[in-house]
């Protein structure tokens, strides 16, 4: 699992050093160090499922029930088919919980050791694809606990002391989302590096800048690419902020009211790398704000990637012809042999709808829920899993595409004269001659109209023609005309002027540690 620590050299990727101000924590006793064995392993998609022909075993919660649930209810309510990917985090939480229970005298050291050894064995079986996931055991938590009971017997029954599936699942989910954010942050940085690398390869290339999809002013291509780098940096910042807010521990909140047993929630929180336990047990089990914020951050990132995809799909068209994707990131047509399509970026544009839809699903799911836990919240995981998988793929293929395109400089150069892109620079010239901007705007508008009638560019007008519109024009006007001269005149902070863009590039090369 990629770690956020790997990104620590880039300031915006660093989690805040102090805890989120909304959860300041005062301690009246020392915390206890705890070393846990936590392995990063991956769930096998091919792990065997239970044989439906086998008789159902009694539910771990079934003491007060006389009849088992029907097959239809069991199929409808199971979540093991997708929540098994939480297994690593569930085992992490159980290790921390068992160690805390032993420390607090709620189980013996020998029982703790047997539980930890049993969890190690279960984790190994899952990793090797040898674990028998059973739908009649409902979810990842019951599957692991029941398997532990099968494996080590009576001590396993002590593991659920002072714990409910309500606090257990949300602890697992926070841990899973925390790891997912770290992976997304790494992919964001990779795409930023790819875009800056592309910018470095195209120094000095001027392209038309657009507003309303109409030609507006000339800009350096590097400047345009860095606009996406800036957007991605905000995306990273949102995820870092989200990570800090979600990094509080629900474990020990139990079903909703906490427990009368002498547990140490600070100990389990520390062991799992959380900032502190959540203060309110009802909030701890019912809160899904961290998921909503996470999916919201992903949705905004997806919008940015979709805009990048749209731009490059347009630029790869015959009508624009500004870029040529390599064959390695293009596809063809099953019927038209001449076609070469930028399909990866079309799919980036299309898959953004999934990520936005995942957010809407969670917002709708949470809208009418009373406190505290409701079974509806079982439905929070699939949209999150889908959002993370999709956004990781979108980031990866966007970086791949950016490293495999060529800008057609000759085509771009031929396209630049159209649109009178230096008109605003000409207006600035008049302002420097102490002409009010609105008057300057009118004068340049009339000059453009003359060009339209003559089918020429502003720089092609003679001085006499310009002076027929305003006597303010002089020989020095030609230093402001043409896209190259226009670029040279941009000097405000953050503008597309060569010196400004060079400074921006230096900043990003240093920040992203590009060599």
């Amino acid at each position: 699992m990629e770690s956020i620590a790997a990104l620590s050299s880039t300031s915006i990727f660093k989690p805040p050093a102090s805890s989120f101000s909304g959860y300041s924590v005062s301690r009246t006793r020392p915390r206890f160090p705890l070393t846990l064995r936590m392995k990063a392993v991956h769930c096998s998609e091919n792990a065997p499922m239970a044989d439906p022909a086998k008789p159902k075993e009694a539910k771990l919660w079934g003491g007060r029930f006389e009849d088992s649930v029907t097959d239809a209810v069991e199929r409808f309510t199971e979540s093991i088919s997708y929540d098994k990917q939480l297994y690593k985090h569930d085992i992490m939480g159980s290790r921390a919980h068992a160690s805390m229970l032993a420390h607090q005298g709620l189980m013996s050291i020998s029982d703790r050791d047997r539980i930890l050894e049993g969890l190690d064995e279960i984790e190994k079986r899952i990793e090797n694809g040898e674990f028998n996931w059973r739908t009649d055991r409902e979810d990842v938590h019951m599957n692991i606990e029941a398997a532990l009971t099968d494996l080590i017997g009576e001590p396993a029954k002590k593991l659920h002391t002072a714990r409910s599936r309500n606090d257990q699942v949300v602890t697992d989910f926070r841990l899973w989302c925390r790891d997912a954010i770290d992976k997304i942050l790494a992919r964001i940085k990779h795409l930023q590096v790819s875009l800056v690398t592309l910018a470095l390869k195209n120094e000095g290339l001027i392209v038309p800048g657009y507003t309303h999809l109409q030609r507006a002013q000339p800009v350096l291509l590097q400047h345009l690419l860095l606009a996406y780098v800036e957007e991605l940096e905000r995306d990273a910042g949102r995820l870092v902020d989200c990570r800090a807010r979600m990094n509080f521990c629900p474990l020990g909140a139990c079903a909703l009211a906490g427990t009368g047993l002498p547990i140490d929630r600070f100990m389990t929180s520390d062991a799992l790398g959380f900032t502190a336990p959540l203060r309110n047990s009802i909030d701890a089990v019912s809160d899904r704000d961290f998921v909503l914020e996470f999916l919201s951050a992903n949705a905004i990132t997806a919008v940015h990637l979709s805009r990048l995809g749209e731009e490059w799909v347009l630029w790869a068209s015959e009508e624009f012809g500004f870029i040529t994707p390599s064959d390695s990131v293009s596809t063809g047509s099953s019927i038209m042999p001449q076609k070469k399509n930028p399909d990866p970026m079309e799919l980036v544009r299309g898959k953004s709808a999934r990520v936005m839809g995942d957010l809407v699903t969670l917002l709708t799911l949470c809208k009418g829920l009373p406190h505290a836990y409701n079974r509806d919240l079982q439905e929070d995981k699939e949209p999150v899993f889908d959002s993370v998988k999709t956004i990781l793929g979108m980031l990866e293929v966007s970086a791949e595409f950016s490293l495999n395109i060529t800008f057609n400089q000759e085509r771009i150069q031929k396209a630049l004269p159209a649109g009178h892109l230096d008109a605003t620079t000409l207006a600035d010239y008049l302002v420097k001659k102490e002409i009010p901007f609105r008057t300057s705007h009118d004068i340049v508008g009339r000059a453009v109209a003359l060009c339209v009638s003559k089918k020429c560019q502003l720089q092609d007008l003679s001085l006499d023609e310009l002076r027929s519109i305003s006597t303010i024009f002089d020989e020095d006007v030609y230093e402001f005309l043409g896209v190259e001269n226009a670029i040279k005149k941009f000097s405000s902070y953050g503008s597309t002027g060569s010196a400004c863009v060079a400074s921006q590039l230096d900043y990003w090369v240093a920040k992203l540690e590009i060599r």
Side-chain angles (χ1 to χ4, degrees):
M1 184 69 70
E2 294 156 304
S3 169
I4 198 168
L7 310 175
S8 59
S9 57
T10 304
S11 61
I12 197 165
F13 293 107
K14 292 181 179 178
S18 59
S19 65
F20 175 51
S21 60
Y23 287 101
S24 57
V25 180
S26 60
R27 299 178 183 274
T28 57
R29 46 164 183 67
R31 290 183 288 173
F32 300 97
L34 179 61
T35 303
L36 299 176
R37 295 161 287 170
M38 299 182 181
K39 302 177 182 178
V41 293
H42 302 282
C43 182
S44 169
E45 291 296 326
N46 298 317
M49 297 296 287
D51 181 359
K54 280 187 177 181
K56 298 175 185 176
E57 69 177 7
K59 304 292 186 185
L60 294 181
W61 44 259
R64 62 95 68 206
F65 290 82
E66 294 182 1
D67 298 321
S68 61
V69 298
T70 67
D71 290 342
V73 169
E74 189 160 89
R75 287 193 301 271
F76 188 71
T77 58
E78 68 83 20
S79 61
I80 189 59
S81 55
Y82 55 85
D83 71 11
K84 62 185 179 181
Q85 64 182 287
L86 295 174
Y87 81 91
K88 180 185 73 170
H89 306 92
D90 194 72
I91 291 173
M92 287 171 61
S94 290
R95 287 182 178 130
H97 190 65
S99 297
M100 180 276 294
L101 292 175
H103 187 275
Q104 296 300 106
L106 293 169
M107 73 165 60
S108 68
I109 298 299
S110 62
D111 283 347
R112 178 203 64 188
D113 291 344
R114 291 184 68 187
I115 288 171
L116 294 179
E117 289 169 5
L119 291 171
D120 286 346
E121 176 62 26
I122 289 170
E123 184 177 69
K124 189 182 302 181
R125 291 180 187 179
I126 296 172
E127 181 181 3
N128 294 334
E130 299 167 354
F131 188 80
N132 185 29
W133 295 107
R134 294 178 51 159
T135 54
D136 60 341
R137 289 177 174 176
E138 299 183 31
D139 56 33
V140 62
H141 325 293
M142 300 300 259
N143 263 266
I144 290 175
E145 184 179 340
L148 185 65
T149 303
D150 293 343
L151 189 64
I152 68 170
E154 199 68 17
K157 297 180 181 180
K158 299 180 181 180
L159 180 58
H160 210 56
T161 303
R163 185 175 73 172
S164 163
R165 277 191 294 176
N166 295 359
D167 61 335
Q168 186 178 0
V169 64
V170 73
T171 300
D172 295 356
F173 206 19
R174 284 175 184 260
L175 290 169
W176 189 94
C177 289
R178 194 174 69 182
D179 285 349
I181 285 176
D182 293 347
K183 293 184 71 174
I184 295 171
L185 286 172
R187 291 278 174 91
I188 287 175
K189 184 176 181 181
H190 178 55
L191 178 54
Q192 287 179 303
V193 169
S194 301
L195 291 169
V196 173
T197 301
L198 186 62
L200 291 169
K201 290 179 180 177
N202 290 277
E203 183 179 0
L205 180 58
I206 301 171
V207 297
Y210 294 83
T211 62
H212 309 279
L213 206 55
Q214 303 295 318
R215 293 184 174 219
Q217 292 178 278
V219 297
L220 288 171
L221 172 64
Q222 293 174 316
H223 193 52
L224 177 60
L225 294 174
L226 291 181
Y228 285 106
V229 177
E230 294 283 355
E231 289 179 348
L232 289 164
E233 187 74 354
R234 291 193 295 275
D235 293 333
R238 273 183 285 272
L239 287 169
V240 169
D241 291 345
C242 173
R243 190 187 194 281
R245 269 185 289 276
M246 79 165 50
N247 199 39
F248 289 83
C249 186
L251 199 57
C254 299
L256 79 160
T259 179
L261 296 171
I263 63 171
D264 185 345
R265 292 188 63 210
F266 287 90
M267 185 176 181
T268 47
S269 174
D270 290 348
L272 295 170
F274 286 113
T275 302
L278 283 158
R279 276 194 303 259
N280 185 292
S281 62
I282 296 175
D283 177 58
V285 298
S286 63
D287 168 54
R288 292 300 185 273
D289 290 357
F290 70 97
V291 180
L292 294 172
E293 186 176 2
F294 184 19
L295 295 194
S296 176
N298 281 353
I300 296 171
T301 301
V303 168
H304 292 155
L305 296 177
S306 182
R307 295 184 71 182
L308 176 64
E310 170 71 3
E311 195 128 54
W312 281 352
V313 167
L314 284 174
W315 282 22
S317 68
E318 290 293 339
E319 285 70 21
F320 277 80
F322 288 178
I323 65 171
T324 300
S326 74
D327 290 353
S328 62
V329 291
S330 304
T331 63
S333 165
S334 63
I335 190 172
M336 295 169 285
Q338 84 281 11
K339 293 293 295 297
K340 183 177 180 180
N341 302 322
D343 276 12
M345 298 314 293
E346 292 180 59
L347 282 170
V348 165
R349 188 177 59 191
K351 284 180 181 291
S352 65
R354 292 178 66 117
V355 181
M356 288 182 269
D358 291 329
L359 170 60
V360 172
T361 297
L362 257 294
L363 287 167
T364 308
L365 174 69
C366 294
K367 179 184 73 66
L369 293 184
H371 283 73
Y373 181 82
N374 299 273
R375 190 66 180 268
D376 311 51
L377 292 174
Q378 177 175 299
E379 295 298 303
D380 61 359
K381 293 162 199 66
E382 286 183 289
V384 176
F385 295 158
D386 181 69
S387 175
V388 169
K389 179 181 177 181
T390 305
I391 204 72
L392 285 170
M394 292 171 69
L395 287 163
E396 181 180 33
V397 81
S398 296
E400 193 80 7
F401 196 87
S402 68
L403 294 173
N404 287 278
I405 59 175
T406 303
F407 285 89
N408 303 323
Q409 297 195 25
E410 185 177 346
R411 177 73 175 266
I412 294 170
Q413 192 67 36
K414 288 180 180 178
L416 281 172
H420 310 291
L421 301 180
D422 49 356
T424 307
T425 310
L426 182 57
D428 290 345
Y429 165 84
L430 293 171
V431 169
K432 289 181 178 180
K433 298 285 187 179
E434 300 185 356
I435 303 298
F437 180 78
R438 284 301 175 199
T439 304
S440 300
H441 188 285
D442 180 69
I443 292 170
V444 174
R446 285 186 279 138
V448 169
L450 179 58
C451 288
V452 171
S453 67
K454 292 174 60 66
K455 297 182 179 178
C456 69
Q457 301 302 309
L458 286 167
Q459 62 185 349
D460 298 328
L461 295 176
S462 68
L463 183 59
D464 287 341
E465 288 173 318
L466 288 169
R467 290 179 67 85
S468 70
I469 299 170
S470 173
T471 57
I472 299 298
F473 289 115
D474 209 339
E475 287 285 354
D476 59 348
V477 70
Y478 293 101
E479 298 174 11
F480 289 76
L481 296 178
V483 292
E484 290 83 3
N485 284 332
I487 288 291
K488 292 176 184 176
K489 297 301 180 182
F490 286 104
S491 58
S492 61
Y493 178 78
S495 72
T496 196
S498 299
C500 299
V501 172
S503 177
Q504 292 175 45
L505 268 172
D506 288 344
Y507 171 82
W508 284 112
V509 166
K511 187 177 184 66
L512 298 172
E513 298 181 307
I514 299 173
R515 294 177 176 84

